[in-house]
Amino acid sequence: MTVADVRAFNRFYTGVIGVLDRGYLASPYSLTEVRVLFELAAGPREAADLRTALSLDAGYLSRILTGFDRAGLVTRTASERDSRRHVVALTPRGESVFADLDARSDAEVAALLDRVPPADRVDLVASMRRIERLLTGTPRAYLLRPLRPGDLGWVVNRHGVRYAEECGFDQTFEALVARVAGEYGEHHSPDREAAWIAEVDGEPVGSIFCTRVDHRTAKLRLLLVEPAARGLGIGARLVDECLRFARRAGYERMELWTVAGLAASRHIYEKVGFTIDKSTPERLFGRDVEAQTWSLDL
């Protein structure tokens, strides 16, 4: 993305939320003044803390507070900790003014969201969170959840794309994943089989399935973590969740099938105790691979 792209988006979004209007929400107050009211609505604040929180020039903030004082919106008293500092608090009139602006802001955003289909609102909020995280450097958090409608298709698609790009596999691999996912969707037994999706910023980034081989053996399948989400410990967490479920379900052993050369997943498997039972050269998915069967006693 270029500087011009960011500036173009800024121009678009400031127009959407009315930042360029003379008064915010057709009120006599600017957006900055409303932000000051918002901070004070949470409770009294020292003026210096307000300045820091909003990154405002001291003189600019002083002029805003003076205007609020004259309008009867705030009071300013000496701090008990330091008489040179002032504590600012909303008056009942200030609280009323803010409550009205807050309600009008909620209504404006609700009207904006009314134009967005419900299914797209999740994507919209996730994108906003992603923008905030990227621009602030906030550490990424993830969650694991059960499958939802549409997840099986995502699993098939992302396995096909990832393994084509990273391993050179052809469409026969994607077809295999589709068969595994389809069989799970049609026939899985909830008390003996389960699957999880990992999400970051509301977007799926990983998967794992625990399926039944026989009454004592479970199989770990379709472990995937998208490149952009690697390094967060998601792969290890998915494997741990799969193992916990298998133990609760009463399995005595877990196995998995993979190919040699996948260093990240191999490290995870070895760390939890999986060992290689069999390794044989085969021609699969348009490539010469070393097919491996791993197992772990639960």
Side-chain angles (χ1 to χ4, degrees), residues 29-173:
Y29 308 105
S30 69
L31 178 61
T32 303
E33 289 172 327
V34 174
R35 277 300 312 277
V36 173
L37 291 175
F38 178 86
E39 293 293 328
L40 292 173
R45 300 282 295 275
E46 288 192 1
D49 292 339
L50 275 176
R51 186 172 68 247
T52 300
L54 298 174
S55 300
L56 292 177
D57 174 78
Y60 183 29
L61 178 60
S62 179
R63 290 191 294 274
I64 290 175
L65 294 178
T66 297
F68 284 173
D69 200 351
R70 289 173 178 166
L73 303 183
V74 302
T75 60
R76 290 186 284 182
T77 57
S79 171
E80 295 180 356
R81 297 184 303 166
D82 186 341
S83 60
R84 295 170 299 178
R85 300 165 71 93
H86 290 86
V87 175
V88 186
L90 291 180
T91 63
R93 172 172 165 73
E95 292 173 350
S96 176
V97 167
F98 172 76
D100 176 63
L101 289 170
D102 196 41
R104 287 159 63 185
S105 181
D106 282 350
E108 185 179 75
V109 172
L112 182 65
L113 289 175
D114 281 344
R115 305 202 298 265
V116 180
D120 291 337
R121 294 175 194 172
V122 174
D123 292 338
L124 176 65
V125 173
S127 297
M128 289 178 168
R129 289 174 179 166
R130 179 172 170 78
I131 290 171
E132 181 180 3
R133 177 180 56 75
L134 290 173
L135 293 180
T136 60
T138 304
R140 306 176 77 190
Y142 67 88
L143 64 84
L144 303 189
R145 61 166 176 78
L147 293 185
R148 296 173 183 163
D151 284 336
L152 290 176
W154 179 87
V155 169
V156 174
N157 173 268
R158 298 318 299 165
H159 272 78
V161 171
R162 288 269 60 81
Y163 279 85
E165 292 181 353
E166 298 179 12
C167 302
F169 288 179
D170 63 20
Q171 289 183 330
T172 59
F173 176 73

Side-chain angles (χ1 to χ4, degrees), residues 147 151-160 163 173-185 194-198 205-211 219-226 235 238-239 242 255-258 262 265 269 285:
L147 293 185
D151 284 336
L152 290 176
W154 179 87
V155 169
V156 174
N157 173 268
R158 298 318 299 165
H159 272 78
Y163 279 85
F173 176 73
E174 186 175 351
L176 170 65
V177 175
R179 288 195 294 273
V180 173
E183 183 177 347
Y184 179 90
W196 298 266
I197 295 292
V205 296
S207 66
I208 198 167
F209 287 58
C210 179
T211 63
K219 191 167 189 176
L220 185 158
R221 310 196 79 168
L222 304 183
L223 172 64
L224 175 78
V225 179
E226 293 279 19
L238 285 167
V239 171
C242 189
E255 66 180 38
L256 65 89
W257 182 93
T258 186
L262 305 178
S265 56
Y269 300 148
F285 319 127

